[in-house]
Amino acid sequence: MARSFCQITDFTTDEVKQVFDSCARMKKGEIAPKPLEGKSVACIFTKESLRTRVSFEVGINQLGGQALYITDKEIKLGQRESVADAARVLSRYVHMIMIRTFKQSDVEELAKYGSVPVVNGLTDLVHPCQIMGDFFTVLEHLPNKERPIIAYVGDGNNITNSWLNLAQRIPLEIRIGTAEDCHPDPDILKKAKEAPDSKVLVTDDPKEAVAGADVIYTDVWASMGQKHLAEDKEQKLRKFQVNSALLAGASDHAVVMHCLPAERGREITDEVMDGPHSVVFDQAENRLHIQKAIMAFLAD
Ligand code: CP
Ligand code: NVA
């Protein structure tokens, strides 16, 4: 079984830091490794994507490799054949697998039964590449913060869970402002609360979450695969909208983040998303750099 990146906690703290370091050097152009020279990466998508699809393909090319775009229309993962058999077959053709899908267990099964590294490009549970790129963005904008205060306001979803995973590796103060039945994954929340160097709070008061925060983060209220719940989620989460009034309670230097795609006017207003505190497009760019660093680490 090769090393994989199914969740942030698959890497040690030293490895996470090593990835941030090589990401910075690649972004500055100090290094331009080609660990995928002559190699192929299967990029499997059973959900839609703009950023993940394009940033992985471009990144794989820049690392010297070839990206294969595969959708569920062809492979019907877990239906035409077992995930384990698909993993065994793919491992005979390609040198790495990136997958975006629904079930975290499918990603972990690919990693278990395949013999090549697997990178998680988003599941219902986590979106590890996103939060690695996002924390790299925090480091760029707020380099001197020892334990930044991250206020995540909105649905407790795969993005929230990934911040909680990062809190198990990097000292963070995470404040989650969300409604009673929109909480993040209970196991991941428990582990993050036990992380000795981090602090975690869950509150139903958005103002309490953002008070003095360094980062205000939000995401869509209904994730992919949950769009049928959009109206219900909107009712529950309306008071967690990231708007100018909420932002006024954060630090003056606070950055506003969103993984995108955004539903402008719902979880975030135009004035905030396009305002001076917003770093959302830096986040999007950094997906490219961080994923190159993650793939280079795994390909070594
Ligand atoms: N943030 C993100 O993963 O975007 P896509 O869904 O467009 O890939
Ligand atoms: N929580 C969102 C993230 C999109 C990048 C979703 O899963 O749809």
Side-chain angles (χ1 to χ4, degrees):
M1 196 167 132
R3 286 293 301 277
S4 284
F5 188 61
C6 300
Q7 305 216 35
I8 289 173
T9 46
D10 288 349
F11 286 179
T12 64
T13 296
D14 281 350
E15 288 169 345
V16 166
K17 288 182 179 165
Q18 192 184 324
V19 168
F20 289 139
D21 185 55
S22 67
C23 177
R25 293 171 71 205
M26 280 190 218
K27 186 171 178 181
K28 281 188 212 143
E30 286 172 12
I31 52 168
K34 301 274 178 204
L36 297 179
E37 193 93 73
K39 297 184 176 176
S40 301
V41 180
C43 297
I44 303 171
F45 286 86
T46 76
K47 285 179 175 171
E48 60 263 49
S49 172
L50 187 163
R51 281 144 290 269
T52 307
R53 160 95 200 264
V54 177
S55 58
F56 264 101
E57 277 203 35
V58 170
I60 290 161
N61 285 331
Q62 290 181 4
L63 295 177
Q66 176 208 20
L68 298 162
Y69 176 61
I70 304 165
T71 70
D72 211 39
K73 213 170 111 204
E74 303 89 53
I75 61 167
K76 294 206 179 297
L77 196 66
Q79 291 176 46
R80 248 184 118 233
E81 60 198 308
S82 70
V83 176
D85 282 349
R88 293 180 182 111
V89 172
L90 282 169
S91 299
R92 302 289 179 111
Y93 299 134
V94 302
H95 303 86
M96 196 176 290
I97 300 168
M98 192 290 301
I99 176 160
R100 160 169 290 195
T101 193
F102 295 84
K103 284 172 19 198
Q104 178 70 12
S105 56
D106 283 353
V107 177
E108 282 165 13
E109 244 179 273
L110 272 183
K112 183 172 174 192
Y113 293 101
S115 55
V116 299
V118 173
V119 180
N120 185 342
L122 179 147
T123 60
D124 292 345
L125 187 71
V126 286
H127 195 1
C129 294
Q130 179 71 51
I131 298 312
M132 288 291 285
D134 292 343
F135 192 69
F136 181 79
T137 312
V138 174
L139 292 174
E140 286 183 320
H141 286 274
L142 305 169
N144 301 317
K145 286 273 156 198
E146 268 184 28
R147 188 171 73 170
I149 302 174
I150 316 287
Y152 177 95
V153 274
D155 187 40
N157 61 15
N158 44 10
I159 295 294
T160 332
N161 293 335
S162 300
W163 274 114
L164 292 168
N165 271 340
L166 187 68
Q168 294 172 53
R169 293 291 178 267
I170 299 280
L172 296 175
E173 179 169 343
I174 300 196
R175 302 202 203 130
I176 299 164
T178 192
E180 190 63 41
D181 55 355
C182 298
H183 279 203
D185 179 81
D187 289 341
I188 297 181
L189 179 63
K190 184 169 175 280
K191 284 187 187 136
K193 282 186 169 171
E194 288 164 3
D197 299 326
S198 289
K199 205 173 150 189
V200 178
L201 167 85
V202 182
T203 171
D204 63 359
D205 177 0
K207 286 201 187 109
E208 184 187 9
V210 305
D214 302 306
V215 174
I216 312 295
Y217 199 117
T218 192
D219 182 19
V220 288
W221 290 334
S223 288
M224 289 180 274
Q226 295 190 331
K227 295 295 178 193
H228 59 288
L229 302 176
E231 218 171 282
D232 179 52
K233 293 260 187 192
E234 178 157 1
Q235 274 194 0
K236 288 174 179 151
L237 294 168
R238 193 171 287 138
K239 75 170 183 183
F240 298 92
Q241 183 187 62
V242 175
N243 52 35
S244 298
L246 189 66
L247 185 56
S251 298
D252 292 342
H253 63 254
V255 293
V256 173
M257 306 185 85
H258 192 309
C259 56
L260 306 179
E263 294 190 17
R264 287 167 175 261
R266 282 207 168 100
E267 74 276 3
I268 190 166
T269 57
D270 283 335
E271 58 186 351
V272 172
M273 181 134 154
D274 300 326
H277 293 273
S278 171
V279 297
V280 300
F281 299 108
D282 293 344
Q283 287 177 258
E285 177 187 336
N286 284 334
R287 291 289 304 281
L288 170 66
H289 306 297
I290 203 76
Q291 288 158 193
K292 283 171 66 184
I294 292 167
M295 287 188 285
F297 176 83
L298 292 172
D300 255 2

